[in-house]
Amino acid sequence: MLTPRGVGLLAGSVACLVAGRLLGIAALDVLAVAGIGLVVVATVLVVRRPPLQVVRPDQLPVVEHGGAIDVALVLRNAGRLALGPMQLTDTTPQDLHTGANASLRGLDSGRQVPLSYRAVGRARGQHTFGPLGVMMSDPLTIARRSVDLPGSSRVLVLPRHVDLPRGPRPIAGRVPGDQGAGTPRPTGDDVGMIREYVVGDDLRRIHWPATAHRGGLMVRQPESRQRQRGVVLLDRRPSPGFELVIEAAASLGWSWHARGASVQVVDDPAELQGSPLPWEVQLEGLAVLQPEPGWDLQSLTALLAGGAAGSGTLVVVSADPDGLDDILQRLGRHFDRRIVVLVERGSTPLARNTAAEAARALRWEVVRIETLEDLPDAWAAADRPRRIGAA
């Protein structure tokens, strides 16, 4: 593509060629050929593959919602010739940045230039920065060409959350697969409490009577110990309030984890087949979670009702009141405390009130929110002493 200067040079060269033929002036012919030659050379320079290389990290550090994202890259001229002026534009996610632009007067052979800019993590999820777009031109800016250089950087933005300094705390419960640090002393030859020594076992747990009896080192089994346990069931049915469902679940999990409790956010039956993942891993999963039409709610509630997630405190976070009473009726058998967080966004007041009344009738505590900022006060209000034996 010719620049305005290139268009003017080409038009002037053609005019000189025509005038030279009509007037018989050879100098005009030479001038026309020289001008056309410059246009051809400039076009060849920008049409050839640019010898540019971009070095940038594939993955940027995980960022909290609203945090700064520092994007850095290095542009290098790997060719033998100097390059002319360039306009640089890095492709950026619209939710995080309005566009990163820079200008270079030129880049000598073998030289490199660092480039950087800052974006803001305004939306959760996996985002990609790049590729870098380069508008190249020849040294005389007669012609230009736009190319995209390969390479991109990805960043994970965590969900938005709020602090919950007050409110219900997880009740002690059983964590599937968790073994506490207790060391009960077996009496006599209680083989159910001892096992053979393996490398790495604490030598203080050696059971000497059993060792003498069997002729090999035997150790006491650690007892299974309950700990503060919170399970958050996340409703993945599509709804206008789904983003708030994610944010509320992240806030609950973050608050409980900070207090040393075991937290498990579940939204898929497969997640109940093993031990809970570390909270940081679960949080990264929430960052990319999307609503799912036809979500397998029946299998998930059946596993929870059967005790697959252990016991303790169960919190259901949902923005869809349709059929919620059936879900709550099947859940909670193995949990000592049951709370439902109703996200009241996109549903009618009648549907909200009906869902809340049905939850209370099933002896669930109800927390109702319309925005994430409502959660701290609504959650604190739920932390009231429960009447023993209340209906």
Side-chain angles (χ1 to χ4, degrees):
M1 181 176 64
L2 296 181
T3 64
R5 177 180 296 179
V7 172
L9 178 60
L10 181 60
S13 299
V14 172
C16 288
L17 182 62
V18 173
R21 292 305 179 95
L22 292 177
L23 301 177
I25 302 177
L28 292 178
D29 293 338
V30 174
L31 188 60
V33 171
I36 294 174
L38 283 176
V39 172
V40 172
V41 172
T43 303
V44 171
L45 288 176
V46 299
V47 167
R48 65 188 178 91
R49 181 178 178 85
L52 288 173
Q53 297 176 347
V54 175
V55 179
R56 64 194 309 166
D58 294 331
Q59 188 70 45
L60 299 175
V62 176
V63 176
E64 291 190 17
H65 190 279
I69 304 172
D70 294 316
V71 183
L73 53 102
V74 175
L75 181 66
R76 180 174 180 270
N77 180 5
R80 297 181 179 180
L81 301 176
L83 298 176
M86 290 176 280
Q87 296 289 331
L88 309 176
T89 303
D90 201 27
T91 305
T92 59
Q94 294 183 355
D95 294 336
L96 308 186
H97 201 274
T98 56
N101 304 303
S103 299
L104 289 179
R105 295 182 179 181
L107 192 59
D108 294 335
S109 174
R111 296 291 300 275
Q112 62 184 28
V113 56
L115 304 168
S116 63
Y117 60 94
R118 173 168 290 184
V120 179
R122 292 187 288 258
R124 71 174 179 93
Q126 185 84 36
H127 304 278
T128 301
F129 293 86
L132 179 66
V134 180
M135 180 68 74
M136 301 187 59
S137 63
D138 62 279
L140 298 179
T141 64
I142 296 174
R144 63 165 60 102
R145 177 195 177 196
S146 179
V147 295
D148 288 336
L149 302 181
S152 60
S153 299
R154 295 180 301 276
V155 65
L156 183 68
V157 179
L158 300 178
R160 188 165 68 107
H161 73 280
V162 292
D163 294 330
L164 303 176
R166 297 174 297 152
R169 294 193 176 189
I171 295 176
R174 179 179 58 83
V175 181
D178 182 50
Q179 296 293 328
T183 56
R185 294 182 178 274
T187 59
D189 196 22
D190 188 356
V191 295
M193 300 294 291
I194 57 178
R195 59 170 171 79
E196 293 184 357
Y197 173 87
V198 295
V199 177
D201 282 339
D202 189 347
L203 295 178
R204 292 173 296 182
R205 287 170 44 204
I206 295 178
H207 186 247
W208 295 110
T211 298
H213 179 72
R214 289 173 173 79
L217 287 177
M218 306 296 293
V219 296
R220 294 185 294 264
Q221 279 273 37
E223 69 176 356
S224 180
R225 176 175 294 175
Q226 291 189 335
R227 51 190 293 202
Q228 286 188 326
R229 171 74 171 149
V231 177
V232 181
L233 172 59
L234 193 150
D235 189 345
R236 290 186 62 183
R237 292 178 295 176
S239 66
F242 180 76
E243 195 64 29
L244 183 51
V245 169
I246 294 289
E247 295 170 351
S251 300
L252 292 172
W254 208 308
S255 174
W256 285 351
H257 173 72
R259 289 165 174 76
S262 169
V263 181
Q264 185 174 14
V265 178
V266 293
D267 61 84
D268 190 292
E271 296 173 354
L272 296 175
Q273 305 304 316
S275 300
L277 296 173
W279 167 243
E280 292 76 11
V281 178
Q282 296 185 63
L283 190 61
E284 293 179 5
L286 286 176
V288 297
L289 197 65
Q290 298 298 324
E292 182 179 337
W295 179 53
D296 189 7
L297 182 60
Q298 300 293 334
S299 299
L300 185 56
T301 54
L303 287 171
L304 282 171
S311 58
T313 299
L314 173 63
V315 179
V316 175
V317 186
S318 175
D320 189 351
D322 185 25
L324 187 60
D325 54 342
D326 292 335
I327 300 173
L328 300 182
Q329 189 172 15
R330 292 193 297 268
L331 291 174
R333 183 183 307 169
H334 293 269
F335 293 90
D336 301 300
R337 191 168 190 178
R338 299 172 297 173
I339 306 171
V340 57
V341 177
L342 297 178
V343 174
E344 300 182 337
R345 181 179 295 178
S347 58
T348 64
L350 178 60
R352 303 171 190 172
N353 294 331
T354 301
E357 293 173 3
R360 292 190 182 99
L362 294 170
R363 303 180 67 180
W364 284 70
E365 300 174 69
V366 179
V367 176
R368 305 173 68 169
I369 60 172
E370 293 186 7
T371 67
L372 186 61
E373 288 69 27
D374 297 337
L375 184 59
D377 290 338
W379 188 250
D383 193 19
R384 298 191 180 98
R386 292 172 295 162
R387 294 166 51 195
I388 299 176

